Amino acid sequence: ADLALYAAKGGGRGRFHFFSEELHKAAEDRRQIETDLRDALACGEMELVYQPIVCAEENLVKGVESLIRWNHPRRGPVSPAVFIPIAEDANLIAPLGEWILRKACEDAVSWPGKIRVAVNVSPIQFANEGFPEIVMSALAHSGLSPDRLELEITEGVFLSESAETDAMFARLKGIGVRLALDDFGTGYSSLSYLKTAPFDKIKIDQSFVRQATLPGSRNRAIIAAIVALAEALGMETTAEGIESLDQLDLVQNLRVSHIQGYIYSKGVPCATLSEKLECGDWVIEPSGPARQRSTRQSMYRKVGAIFGGQHQSVLVRNLSETGALIEGLPNLALDTLIIIDFGGGELAFARIRRIGARQHGVEFEAPLVSDGSGSFCVNHRVTPYALASLGLPDGGYPAETSALNVVPGASIEQIGARLGLSRIAGGATEGGGLGIVGSMAAISLVDRNRLGDRQLTRADVDRLLDAANASQNPQLGPFVSLLVHTGVRQRELIEARWSYFDLERGIWNVPDARTGKSRTVKLSREATEIIRGLPKWDDCEFLIANPKTKRAYGSFASSWETARRRAGLPYVEIDELRLTSPSPKRG
């Protein structure tokens, strides 16, 4: 009952929730992680890596941020997003934070030069009256100069603005360390504390950077305001999570002083950092994709397309906020304006930006938004009355593939006007709102010949299964067979653990990493037998494991590439197998 209660609260309150075994398993798994976490430091399972913080003008490394990593002996790498919240709930964050502080100071002393090291401080650590003494002890034992240590503090410490908070800041500054305000704008977000809190730097959270280059985003203005505020207060700025060259150009043009992200480097071990600094200053040339890639979903979904006064059924292969990959369009020219009908009154203007073999890449004139369940939708729906006036089905695209006449001879702009759709032109909407036409960075097209009916036949599936079973990778055969027999995604099968399965009942509980919940997949007799035949090692919990490392595979991409070419089907993506059915020969 207690687990069901907290599941209802976690789901948004105002609802009921029944107990299920998945809740019990999640609680047991969390309890086990907590138990293992208590011994992780003593067993030497924790390590620190350091991500460079680079001067925006010179590409010169000015400091690094310490990032903790947990190498679990059975689970493998455990994400900090998983174990840090557990450490906070279990009162383990204080000893863990102290270890990070001491280890970072010890490592920093060994580096050539005088770059700074940044250490994250949790609100729980900050509230400890003895925290300044811990900082002084770490500095004294390591011999690190105080001005080389930067403490990153989140806005959560200001939830109780008091004399104690001000006194803590004064004591820390008295030691001589630097203070950085981390994740600015995502928490408490009151500017009053900036009047007295002696910060040296403001860190701009990556959530602002991530969407800043997308059409219609206001994040650029927010970043500019943060930089102006920091400059007025005499503080430096660091933009986190920079991954593409257009993001880099954006933050540089907005005068952000420091940059951190994959565009320069991921976190590196202490030994690697020492090697980089041996020759003096470490200059890193930015390297990454030209443009920010929107979150993209692979799918196989029927939608409608309106062009030339007709409405025709087409297929969406990939979908992102800014564009989609469409199959089934005729030979339309580049830059042709069309309307995509997602069904239920969701229509959006789009332009042809790429042309491939039987595929078109389209760019939406206005970006889609999250639908709250992991996919995307349009901002405004068209009323059923407007759809009916043009003879369009109010439930969505037509089931048949034959085209429907919408308004013969009418331009796409005229049809859009009849539907009440607004256009973005010249950087502004007709209603006067801001609009920035984006790029098709999220769409990657590959010329390839498709089957005429765009579906895998049973013979195709048999050839793919035979090629997979003949692969030099012994796990590819059962992996591909399970994709066909279960209909799950490749990543779900790669991450599957033996504990997820109840083979006696023929059930697989597939967890959702985003929500923490799980769904139940009913296993067929054939799928159950395949799983029973898989090798199982005592020191490995993963269902499909690398026989050499006894750990989960990161990907089957290279093995699958060979197998699909051997089967004469070089275009088939591995996740398409879940959309097929096994042939009678296979059961």
Side-chain angles (χ1 to χ4, degrees), residues 411-485:
S411 69
I412 199 70
E413 289 88 349
Q414 291 171 325
I415 295 172
R418 289 274 298 273
L419 291 169
L421 299 178
S422 59
R423 294 264 338 272
I424 291 182
T429 65
E430 292 180 350
L434 293 177
I436 303 173
V437 178
S439 69
M440 280 303 296
I443 292 183
S444 174
L445 294 177
V446 180
D447 285 346
R448 59 193 191 185
N449 294 320
R450 304 291 300 175
L451 293 174
D453 60 0
R454 305 185 192 87
Q455 293 282 353
L456 293 176
T457 66
R458 290 177 175 177
D460 294 331
V461 176
D462 281 340
R463 294 208 307 277
L464 289 167
L465 288 170
D466 289 337
N469 286 319
S471 172
Q472 293 184 352
N473 185 339
Q475 299 288 55
L476 183 63
F479 185 83
V480 170
S481 297
L482 285 175
L483 288 178
V484 172
H485 280 283

Side-chain angles (χ1 to χ4, degrees), residues 275-390:
E275 292 176 7
K276 297 291 186 181
L277 296 173
E278 281 292 342
C279 299
D281 292 337
W282 182 14
V283 176
I284 308 177
E285 291 300 323
S287 175
R291 297 182 180 277
Q292 175 187 356
R293 292 177 63 88
S294 300
T295 303
R296 180 176 53 181
Q297 286 190 328
S298 297
M299 57 174 57
Y300 200 74
R301 174 184 171 186
K302 185 183 291 185
V303 300
I306 301 174
F307 54 89
Q310 295 183 327
H311 184 288
Q312 179 173 314
S313 177
V314 294
L315 292 170
V316 170
R317 300 289 305 185
N318 290 332
L319 180 67
S320 74
E321 298 162 294
T322 54
L325 187 61
I326 305 292
E327 289 185 3
L329 288 172
N331 294 325
L332 300 177
L334 283 175
D335 209 38
T336 298
L337 183 66
I338 65 175
I339 295 175
I340 302 296
D341 177 7
F342 292 100
E346 293 190 39
L347 293 92
F349 279 110
R351 285 194 179 274
I352 305 295
R353 297 301 192 194
R354 303 286 189 276
I355 299 177
R358 301 179 67 88
Q359 297 175 328
H360 291 73
V362 302
E363 175 188 9
F364 300 125
E365 287 208 339
L368 304 184
V369 297
S370 172
D371 66 355
S373 61
S375 189
F376 304 101
C377 63
V378 300
N379 253 322
H380 303 287
R381 294 177 185 266
V382 176
T383 68
Y385 307 104
L387 295 172
S389 70
L390 296 181

Side-chain angles (χ1 to χ4, degrees), residues 37 56 204 234 337 424 544:
L37 189 58
I204 303 169
L337 183 66
I424 291 182
I544 305 286

Side-chain angles (χ1 to χ4, degrees), residues 9 31 130 133 277 358 361 409 419 443 464 502 504 506 513 576:
K9 289 182 177 180
R31 183 193 62 80
E133 285 71 28
L277 296 173
R358 301 179 67 88
L419 291 169
I443 292 183
L464 289 167
D502 184 344
E504 295 301 321
E576 293 178 356

